[in-house]
């Protein structure tokens, strides 16, 4: 478990979770918004609350109205 501080007023104290799950093919990353006030965005689109979304390499994640972008890099 890792906690990444965002230090932005539009980000909730527990905003989103990045989780890796083992499937039959591989270990895959998933993102879930924890019913945050200002949303979690994947490639510019708001993701649904409390529903896991599978991530792909080079996806861009933004939390709330923060200008900080998180890019998923996979080998």
């Amino acid at each position: 478990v890792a906690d990444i501080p965002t230090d932005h007023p539009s980000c909730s104290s527990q905003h989103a979770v990045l989780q890796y799950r083992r499937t039959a093919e591989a270990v895959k990353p998933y993102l879930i918004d924890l019913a945050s006030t200002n949303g979690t965005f994947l490639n510019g689109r708001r993701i649904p609350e409390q529903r896991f979304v599978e991530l792909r390499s080079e996806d861009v994640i933004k939390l709330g109205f923060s200008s900080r972008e998180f890019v998923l890099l996979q080998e």
Side-chain angles (χ1 to χ4, degrees), residues 5-75:
T6 56
D7 296 328
H8 193 275
S10 71
C11 295
S12 300
S13 60
Q14 292 190 355
H15 196 101
V17 170
L18 174 62
Q19 182 182 82
Y20 283 84
R21 295 181 181 176
R22 184 177 307 276
T23 67
E25 307 89 42
V27 176
K28 297 182 178 183
Y30 290 84
L31 180 66
I32 187 171
D33 178 85
L34 299 176
S36 64
T37 303
N38 296 305
T40 300
F41 297 83
L42 178 61
N43 300 323
R45 294 189 175 160
R46 188 173 183 155
I47 66 170
E49 293 179 0
Q50 300 182 350
R51 212 164 95 207
F52 281 101
V53 176
E54 185 178 340
L55 299 177
R56 303 199 188 309
S57 186
E58 299 185 19
D59 275 349
V60 178
I61 301 164
K62 289 183 74 173
L63 305 175
F65 301 117
S66 173
S67 61
R68 186 173 292 168
E69 295 180 339
F70 301 91
V71 180
L72 181 68
L73 300 176
Q74 290 182 288
E75 292 183 11

